Amino acid sequence: MNIGIDRLSFYSSHYYLDLKTLAEARSVEADKYYIGIGQEKMAIPAPDEDVVTLAASAAYPLMKEGELENVELLLFATESGIDQSKAAGIYVHSLLEMSPRCRTVELKQACYSATAGIQLAVGFVARNPDKKALVIASDIARYELGSPGEATQGCGAVAILISADPRLVSIEPECGYYTEDVMDFWRPNYRSEALVDGKYSTTVYIHALLESWKQYAELSGRGLGDFDRFCYHIPFTKMAEKAHRKLCRKCKTDVGDEQMQTLLGESLLYSRITGNCYSGSMYVGLCSLLDNAEEDLAGKRIGLYSYGSGCVGEFFSGVVQPGYRDFVYADQHRNLLANRTELTYQQYEDIFNYGVPTDGGEYVFPQYKTGPFRFSGISQHKREYESLVD
Ligand code: CAA
């Protein structure tokens, strides 16, 4: 049975900081960000957005089109959790008015957990071919002000509908996966910003890629030449390109700049102007590819590499389905990204330093530009959300 990604919708915040502005504030050359790490803008969440509103906004187009009716599994992948007990997906389930007959849980393993979610969802659909599963990856990437990771912040969410006979990408059964106990990036419960050993994290990312690929290649019998495009986890776009060069070198395959552009370029467009969104990052890349590929990708194989620090890596693959262009949300994604508001450095720092009140009092939050849902206040330690749609 063909099982895979039936719909794919991306959402990011309405505010961004241009990395030229950050470069000026940090007295570094803008080219370090624009060229060195391959990032131009980072999406900044408004104070009345969080991983719940980002996630619900990503899935809203599916709700509007009645695509959520048969969903009986909701997997919420995040490393920016808002509660140690309650799954953030339950708030999303409520905002999206989904059926109570639904299993809802939150998954965590740094930037990797959405991929675990997708593989679990594929198993669920194999057993229940008339049902669907919704995997949502939603994150806000935060590093300390002035730290090397700062320029790689961002935020966003991706809603991924998994079904039988998918209209976008069928997922192939072979996968290579790799776990190793390392401390390259982590966030203890008492911190709101990640701790990272930046250079080390880039080497672990690549090591896990080569190990995952080795298994995938053995199981599938495929080589790099069997792929038409690649989507990598994108903490910053240069990382994806470096990883692909390393993989090519390992496979003794040459890759020139032009070929690199063909294989990866269209998958990097959205991340370059939104930044890292951790668990959703590779799927933002897939969205960017399906929305923007000049060539009709029907029947083409995509290699997918998902990486979560700590660490788990997985290499798997998918085949693009005929007619997929009729089912992507390309116009919506482009409109969202083209109509954002640029922040000044001071506005960015004020938003960064804003913290959700923790004293159990009653708070109503001012309204900023958001998607169809907002984080409207907090009362007795309970988060309150508001739907802005009828
Ligand atoms: N013009 C052009 N290029 C320039 C430049 C200029 N003026 N100035 C510097 N550069 C280049 C450098 O030569 C370097 O290129 P190479 O990597 O090809 O050598 C690049 O810009 C970056 O410069 P630095 O290495 O000096 O940057 P840094 O040390 O300040 O920060 C980083 C880099 C450590 C990766 C940092 O961005 C970071 O900590 N990021 C967060 C961690 C991360 O994203 N890790 C990725 C793997 S882990 C993962 O993927 C999980 C996840 O999502 C977090």
Side-chain angles (χ1 to χ4, degrees):
M1 190 195 321
N2 218 358
I3 304 176
I5 301 177
D6 191 51
R7 304 302 300 269
L8 188 61
S9 169
F10 161 61
Y11 175 81
S12 185
S13 68
H14 287 256
Y15 299 95
Y16 73 89
L17 183 73
D18 196 302
L19 292 184
K20 283 185 181 150
T21 310
L22 184 67
E24 201 182 326
R26 299 286 172 255
S27 304
V28 304
E29 286 180 23
D31 280 353
K32 173 171 178 180
Y33 301 148
Y34 268 56
I35 298 169
I37 60 167
Q39 292 299 125
E40 288 179 21
K41 293 171 181 162
M42 55 190 195
I44 308 293
D48 58 343
E49 286 216 288
D50 67 2
V51 287
V52 168
T53 65
L54 293 171
S57 298
Y60 178 66
L62 278 66
M63 175 203 181
K64 245 186 0 189
E65 293 177 15
E67 300 277 15
L68 302 181
E69 272 160 28
N70 251 345
V71 171
E72 292 199 2
L73 177 65
L74 170 54
L75 299 174
F76 190 107
T78 189
E79 56 179 295
S80 326
I82 51 162
D83 195 291
Q84 293 283 38
S85 172
K86 179 168 173 162
I90 295 181
Y91 296 104
V92 175
H93 176 276
S94 163
L95 289 170
L96 298 175
E97 299 170 8
M98 291 171 70
S99 161
R101 186 175 161 79
C102 186
R103 293 187 181 121
T104 304
V105 288
E106 188 166 311
L107 301 174
K108 177 172 68 185
Q109 181 9 61
C111 308
Y112 165 73
S113 60
T115 298
I118 283 183
Q119 299 294 8
L120 292 170
V122 166
F124 171 80
V125 172
R127 185 134 196 188
N128 305 277
D130 56 332
K131 307 292 178 207
K132 296 182 181 180
L134 179 64
V135 179
I136 309 184
S138 180
D139 267 308
I140 297 170
R142 268 173 75 88
Y143 297 90
E144 280 178 5
L145 293 178
S147 69
E150 183 183 25
T152 69
Q153 295 177 116
C155 70
V158 189
I160 308 154
L161 191 65
I162 303 292
S163 75
D165 300 322
R167 288 169 283 184
L168 299 183
V169 179
S170 75
I171 296 190
E172 295 185 299
E174 302 86 4
C175 0
Y177 30 85
Y178 177 81
T179 291
E180 187 183 347
D181 182 5
V182 289
M183 294 302 277
D184 59 331
F185 169 107
W186 67 106
R187 184 166 70 82
N189 286 346
Y190 49 81
R191 288 183 60 98
S192 64
E193 291 90 40
L195 293 164
V196 61
D197 188 340
K199 298 279 187 213
Y200 177 54
S201 71
T202 63
T203 63
V204 186
Y205 174 116
I206 286 169
H207 179 68
L209 165 66
L210 300 182
E211 292 295 324
S212 307
W213 166 260
K214 196 165 82 186
Q215 287 177 22
Y216 173 89
E218 278 167 16
L219 286 168
S220 67
R222 296 185 190 113
L224 289 185
D226 293 309
F227 293 86
D228 300 287
R229 298 288 188 283
F230 290 86
C231 290
Y232 283 84
H233 169 56
I234 313 170
F236 47 93
T237 64
K238 250 315 171 32
M239 183 75 233
E241 291 174 354
K242 279 188 173 185
H244 192 65
R245 281 191 203 287
K246 291 273 186 194
L247 183 60
C248 289
R249 203 167 306 148
K250 182 82 181 169
C251 298
K252 300 186 176 25
T253 305
D254 284 335
V255 60
D257 289 348
E258 204 177 311
Q259 199 190 0
M260 179 68 96
Q261 181 58 24
T262 306
L263 292 172
L264 265 67
E266 286 150 338
S267 75
L268 305 179
L269 298 173
Y270 291 167
S271 292
R272 194 173 168 85
I273 55 170
T274 53
N276 196 354
C277 68
Y278 290 160
S279 59
S281 228
M282 190 193 76
Y283 298 94
V284 174
L286 180 60
C287 230
S288 180
L289 172 64
L290 296 180
D291 287 359
N292 296 297
E294 271 185 38
E295 189 187 348
D296 183 352
L297 296 179
K300 307 278 182 195
R301 176 173 292 115
I302 305 176
L304 300 147
Y305 175 62
S306 177
Y307 175 74
S309 291
C311 73
V312 181
E314 178 160 344
F315 192 98
F316 62 113
S317 57
V319 176
V320 181
Q321 298 301 290
Y324 73 98
R325 280 179 162 151
D326 295 336
F327 297 100
V328 295
Y329 293 107
D331 291 343
Q332 254 161 275
H333 298 149
R334 289 195 202 110
N335 281 344
L336 169 73
L337 295 171
N339 291 302
R340 296 180 297 166
T341 302
E342 182 173 355
L343 298 175
T344 63
Y345 177 79
Q346 195 52 52
Q347 288 170 322
Y348 154 66
E349 202 178 296
D350 290 346
I351 292 179
F352 184 95
N353 288 325
Y354 166 80
V356 175
T358 56
D359 61 6
E362 306 280 321
Y363 295 92
V364 176
F365 299 152
Q367 187 162 353
Y368 292 78
K369 271 197 231 166
T370 64
F373 306 102
R374 58 183 293 269
F375 175 25
S376 55
I378 194 157
S379 165
Q380 298 177 338
H381 297 291
K382 294 174 195 158
R383 286 186 177 229
E384 291 175 347
Y385 294 97
E386 184 184 358
S387 170
L388 304 172
V389 288
D390 302 327

